[in-house]
Amino acid sequence: MASDPSSLRSLFYLFFRATFQQWPYFVIPAIVNYLLLVRLLRYTRLRRSNFHHGHQLDSMRAMDVHTAFEIHNYLIELEFPFTFSAATTFALFKAYGIPSISSLLVHTNQLVGPPLVSSKRYADTGALLLEAVLNEPGSERSVEAITRINYLHDRWRGKGNGKGIKDEDMLYTLSLFALEPLKWVKIYEWRELSMVEICAVGTLWKHLGDSLKVPFRFLPGSEKGWKNGIEWLEELRVWSEGYEGRYMVPDKDNAALADATMKIILWKVPRWMHGFGKRMFATVMEGISPRLRKAMLIPNAPLYYHSTFSALMTLRKLFLRYLSLPRYRHLTRRPTLSPANDGRLHLPRVRVYPWYIRPTFKKRWGPSALLARLRGDVLPGDDAKFMPGGFATTDLGPMGLMGKGYEEMAEDAERLVGIGGCPFVRV
């Protein structure tokens, strides 16, 4: 017997009406449970870290570099990947606000020279930092990166007439890499770092400073030593801010490096949006370091840029804290091993030119690659001079030093064997 269409319509109407009337009993508990789940899981890694490594400063005195690396690594790859990456990039840029640093870099012509040269310098600097910081302390890859940095720096250390690297500038640059991520997390992230996490950052960067032969004699506690990474970071912060106050002043070389860096940052941005991009960058600089913006001779952005940016970052902070589940997959930026198993490494991202980028299908035909084709950019695999087969550590540095420094690096590696454990003494 055929069903009456009017009866079916009535049944559907009654069903949907009942469902609509009952939805608060399902949706509201679901929302509440989701918010509770976010609250529970958001702080899981923080609670786990505090549980394993303790809250008391006495328990942090013995923190070794491997424990510090483990904590530092989850901050970079899980908790605050965007902010740590942006802060580290900004730290490198901020060093250009000291005329003694910027004048040397301009003199070498590595950052303000032809795009082929400057793009390699940026790629090499990123590769060395990633390898030194994101690999286990004492590992072969970390040691190779550190010894390569030392080899490249030693050529300029100890030179007079303002043509060399000053010890104070070495310490200041290290202080930026250690301190800027802490500042950025405090301003922009959904939570602040715990004392354990701050101690880990200080412990790891003190170890890296020792490995990179950075002199600490300018810090008050250099003779008696420091109890832990927190005490060391605080002394470093006070000294670094004082150094900025004395030496971060406007200079044409600062401005030249700022202009060269902006070209790297905006290379993917359409030319008609470059003005907007520069004003946004000025907004970030004003919020983090007004003195740096003035030292770079960069004009301030209009007030509405600051208010809009502040509102957006506040919304992001609230969304992550209350509505977003924590990241469960590591967002790693470490260079990847070549599939040829020859020990060479590939960078994960293109910066202007595809230095050391593996020419995979995605890198050549993915969405970003298609946009690059429209812009007329060079793609991975298009030109052998960009080394699509990857880099060896000795390839990094000025083109005239590629493949050089084996003996010096091997000798320095022997020194690093004795650097490890806890980098602080008990006082």
Side-chain angles (χ1 to χ4, degrees):
M1 180 176 178
S3 299
D4 185 358
S6 61
S7 299
L8 289 176
R9 283 195 298 270
S10 298
L11 288 174
F12 278 118
Y13 171 76
L14 292 173
F15 173 77
F16 284 114
R17 180 182 177 184
T19 302
F20 181 78
Q21 291 175 340
Q22 296 295 320
W23 73 265
Y25 297 102
F26 299 98
V27 175
I28 293 178
I31 292 174
V32 171
N33 286 333
Y34 177 78
L35 295 176
L36 291 174
L37 182 65
V38 169
R39 178 69 181 180
L40 175 66
L41 298 181
R42 256 289 156 202
Y43 294 87
T44 297
R45 281 187 286 265
L46 176 62
R47 288 192 294 267
R48 186 183 300 128
S49 175
N50 287 336
F51 176 78
H52 287 299
H53 306 296
H55 297 270
Q56 302 302 317
L57 293 182
D58 286 343
S59 68
M60 300 181 203
R61 291 187 183 187
M63 182 182 288
D64 60 46
V65 295
H66 299 286
T67 300
F69 170 80
E70 177 187 335
I71 297 172
H72 190 263
N73 208 44
Y74 84 66
L75 292 176
I76 290 178
E77 297 187 353
L78 289 170
E79 291 288 87
F80 313 113
F82 168 79
T83 300
F84 261 75
S85 177
T88 302
T89 301
F90 186 82
L92 187 63
F93 178 78
K94 191 175 182 179
Y96 304 159
I98 304 294
S100 57
I101 296 176
S102 62
S103 62
L104 175 61
L105 293 172
V106 169
H107 172 73
T108 63
N109 206 38
Q110 291 291 306
L111 291 177
V112 295
L116 188 66
V117 175
S118 60
S119 63
K120 184 179 188 302
R121 169 60 188 260
Y122 281 107
D124 290 355
T125 300
L128 286 170
L129 282 173
L130 293 172
E131 284 292 281
V133 178
L134 299 186
N135 285 298
E136 183 82 19
S139 66
E140 181 180 353
R141 287 174 60 173
S142 177
V143 169
E144 282 191 358
I146 289 170
T147 56
R148 188 62 179 176
I149 294 172
N150 288 338
Y151 168 71
L152 297 174
H153 282 171
D154 286 348
R155 300 168 56 251
W156 292 96
R157 297 188 70 173
K159 289 189 176 183
N161 302 321
K163 299 298 184 182
I165 301 175
K166 295 167 53 180
D167 285 349
E168 295 96 325
D169 288 342
M170 289 283 291
L171 180 58
Y172 176 69
T173 303
L174 181 84
S175 75
L176 296 179
F177 287 121
L179 294 169
E180 284 301 311
L182 308 186
K183 183 188 299 185
W184 281 58
V185 167
K186 185 174 183 179
I187 295 174
Y188 296 127
E189 277 297 348
W190 57 275
R191 71 169 175 88
E192 295 186 15
L193 296 176
S194 69
M195 297 297 282
V196 170
E197 291 166 340
I198 294 173
C199 184
V201 172
T203 300
L204 182 64
W205 279 102
K206 173 59 166 62
H207 162 75
L208 288 169
D210 291 334
S211 301
L212 293 167
K213 299 186 284 189
V214 175
F216 295 115
R217 65 180 183 275
F218 307 103
L219 301 182
S222 59
E223 293 187 4
K224 66 180 181 66
W226 300 273
K227 295 178 181 179
N228 51 53
I230 297 174
E231 184 178 89
W232 178 77
L233 275 176
E234 180 58 22
E235 278 198 14
L236 190 65
R237 182 191 64 79
V238 173
W239 179 88
S240 180
E241 290 178 356
Y243 194 72
E244 280 183 19
R246 294 190 300 274
Y247 298 109
M248 184 175 281
V249 295
D251 189 90
K252 61 181 178 59
D253 288 333
N254 300 353
L257 289 176
D259 184 62
T261 304
M262 286 304 300
K263 291 177 181 177
I264 298 290
I265 293 174
L266 298 175
W267 75 277
K268 284 186 178 181
V269 179
R271 188 171 299 276
W272 59 273
M273 289 189 64
H274 280 199
F276 171 77
K278 290 178 180 179
R279 287 188 289 274
M280 283 303 302
F281 195 70
T283 301
V284 175
M285 292 176 69
E286 184 69 15
I288 294 292
S289 178
R291 183 183 288 115
L292 176 64
R293 182 189 59 77
K294 296 173 184 176
M296 295 291 196
L297 304 177
I298 295 175
N300 199 3
L303 182 61
Y304 64 85
Y305 274 78
H306 298 276
S307 56
T308 302
F309 180 75
S310 177
L312 289 174
M313 295 307 293
T314 299
L315 288 174
R316 175 186 180 273
K317 183 187 299 185
L318 295 174
F319 173 78
L320 290 176
R321 181 185 298 166
Y322 298 112
L323 299 176
S324 176
L325 291 170
R327 181 184 298 276
Y328 66 93
R329 294 179 61 185
H330 288 253
L331 183 60
T332 181
R333 291 181 171 86
R334 268 182 298 185
T336 56
L337 285 169
S338 169
N341 198 29
D342 55 3
R344 304 185 76 82
L345 298 163
H346 292 280
L347 287 180
R349 294 193 301 171
V350 177
R351 291 287 189 184
V352 184
Y353 287 110
W355 287 101
Y356 321 125
I357 304 295
R358 183 185 171 200
T360 61
F361 180 84
K362 181 180 179 181
K363 295 293 184 183
R364 289 187 59 80
W365 296 102
S368 296
L370 292 177
L371 288 174
R373 288 178 183 275
L374 291 175
R375 292 194 302 265
D377 294 345
V378 181
L379 293 171
D382 281 353
D383 195 326
K385 69 170 170 280
F386 297 113
M387 304 175 67
F391 68 87
T393 308
T394 50
D395 294 327
L396 304 178
M399 292 183 179
L401 296 177
M402 289 180 64
K404 298 180 180 179
Y406 288 100
E407 293 181 2
E408 293 87 345
M409 292 169 61
E411 183 178 345
D412 195 30
E414 294 180 3
R415 176 186 64 88
L416 295 180
V417 172
I419 298 178
C422 178
F424 301 105
V425 296
R426 293 184 177 275
V427 295

